[in-house]
Amino acid sequence: MRVLVIGSGGREHALLLGLDRDPSVSELHVAPGNAGTASVATNHAVDVASAEAVVALATEIGADLVVIGPEVPLVLGVADALRAAGVDTFGPGAQAARIEGSKAFAKDVMAAAGVRTARAETVDNPADLDAALDRFGPTWVVKDDGLAAGKGVVVTTDRSAARAHAADCLENGHPVLLESFLDGPEVSLFCLVDGETVVPLLPAQDHKRVGDGDAGPNTGGMGAYAPLPWLPDEMTQRIVDEVVAPVAAELSARGMPFNGLLYAGLAIDAEGPAVVEFNCRFGDPETQAVLELMESPLGEALAATARGTLADLPPLRWHDGAAVVVVLAAENYPGRPRTGDPIRGADGEGILHAGTARDADGTVVSAGGRVLSVVGRGDDLAGARAQAYERLAGVTLVGAHHRTDIGKAAEDGLISI
């Protein structure tokens, strides 16, 4: 099976490595890829937001399967164009991808499906903002109603900070969603979805804030771990039954069946799961941790989803133990990152590339905000953390920063529901 992966981050590097372990996968391509993906696949400099360009590439290389990593090409309908050209594609069409592309649409789907989520209100007129803010708090959750690469959300007890973020979104022509704050630890559950068939992967937890102890602004994700030792085993099936399956059924009922990876971001409290957000694709960096533990052939699972035969897929198998991923970020991230600096140790074991490139001399240099994902695996969370940070210690990038506490609260038994 010849597979084309769309995207350029750590998620895509992890997907390629997982696919490379599948004996049914004979050839790997990626567009556009990065400096690290070139070691496992053929990189192609293609505009992945262009359906025409992606279809042309898939046709040229004779792709048997296309796996779309990022949300932007999905929301823009690249999967629709590939399917129209007769190419098996893992990733939802534009209509179903609105589950991530429009938070207001996601709320409407959840309401119709009877899925528990935060109370929400959409504001599209600055004149209505203050009155709306008064109906929320004392912790405000303000979301840009659109794609924001994980950084369009502000959660704060400071009303002025909430108002400033909302006003900035409105000034840029984006409606904002105000939500009630959901208490309880967060869970990321990835599910393969083929219409109304749902197969969950391992639950994971992301670390969104830039600094230790969840300090500072939101980022695209500074690290993750899987599985979750504090989450009862039966909760995964409960999330499928109460959240993912009803949403998949509702999308199908609306004539926009979901095909691909449906990512439920949830808060778990005494009442059970409540949805914080949905994404229409694999999350980054949770993918790097989850796929590290996947024993089943990845290509077989993704192809079954794309071809509508997910119900026939054998039960997924997982390695014992735990995996931890720590993100190495460039100086000033999540602001405008410093780029172009050489990276030493970037080709070590367990190091996945994201914001990297090669300069004219062939040296690996930084080329984005989240530069590398460093993965560790162990018999337990402590062992996985130790290996991840040991590997990270071998990497040098001027001005880079990372969190030192990925998975630490779970390791110390400080998370409970």
Side-chain angles (χ1 to χ4, degrees), residues 55-208:
V55 169
L57 174 61
T59 302
E60 176 190 338
I61 66 174
D64 299 301
L65 175 68
V66 176
V67 179
I68 302 178
E71 62 274 23
V72 171
L74 292 169
V75 170
L76 292 177
V78 172
D80 295 308
L82 285 162
R83 290 193 182 98
V87 181
D88 288 336
T89 303
F90 181 90
Q95 284 189 306
R98 291 178 64 206
I99 198 76
E100 178 173 0
S102 168
K103 294 173 180 62
F105 173 77
K107 288 291 185 183
D108 183 67
V109 169
M110 283 186 275
V115 170
R116 182 171 173 244
T117 187
R119 177 176 64 87
E121 184 175 334
T122 301
V123 180
D124 57 12
N125 187 335
D128 300 331
L129 178 57
D130 286 304
L133 285 167
D134 289 342
R135 292 190 283 273
F136 290 84
T139 298
W140 284 268
V141 180
V142 184
K143 297 182 176 182
D144 185 331
D145 184 32
L147 296 178
K151 293 178 284 187
V153 180
V154 166
V155 180
T156 181
T157 56
D158 183 342
R159 189 183 188 281
S160 61
R163 190 187 191 287
H165 180 60
D168 185 57
C169 293
L170 291 167
E171 186 177 331
N172 288 317
H174 298 183
V176 295
L177 200 71
L178 303 182
E179 288 188 348
S180 58
F181 177 67
L182 293 172
D183 204 2
E186 292 198 6
V187 172
S188 298
L189 185 65
F190 298 167
C191 293
L192 303 176
V193 176
D194 160 24
E196 296 186 36
T197 302
V198 177
V199 175
L201 307 188
L202 289 181
Q205 188 178 63
D206 186 14
H207 294 62
K208 282 288 189 189

Side-chain angles (χ1 to χ4, degrees), residues 155-292:
V155 180
T156 181
T157 56
D158 183 342
R159 189 183 188 281
S160 61
R163 190 187 191 287
H165 180 60
D168 185 57
C169 293
L170 291 167
E171 186 177 331
N172 288 317
H174 298 183
V176 295
L177 200 71
L178 303 182
E179 288 188 348
S180 58
F181 177 67
L182 293 172
D183 204 2
E186 292 198 6
V187 172
S188 298
L189 185 65
F190 298 167
C191 293
L192 303 176
V193 176
D194 160 24
E196 296 186 36
T197 302
V198 177
V199 175
L201 307 188
L202 289 181
Q205 188 178 63
D206 186 14
H207 294 62
K208 282 288 189 189
R209 303 274 185 167
V210 71
D212 284 4
D214 293 329
N218 270 354
T219 70
M222 294 298 293
Y225 66 97
L228 309 181
W230 48 269
L231 190 72
D233 291 341
E234 63 272 14
M235 185 58 73
T236 296
Q237 190 59 48
R238 186 174 170 188
I239 293 167
V240 170
D241 294 341
E242 297 180 14
V243 175
V244 184
V247 164
E250 176 63 21
L251 289 171
S252 289
R254 295 185 182 205
M256 50 184 79
F258 193 98
N259 183 292
L261 195 291
L262 188 55
Y263 164 154
L266 311 122
I268 310 292
D269 60 18
E271 295 181 43
V275 175
V276 175
E277 65 176 353
F278 275 108
N279 290 334
C280 64
R281 39 71 192 182
F282 279 102
D284 186 336
E286 299 101 315
T287 298
Q288 292 89 302
V290 171
L291 293 189
E292 177 68 18

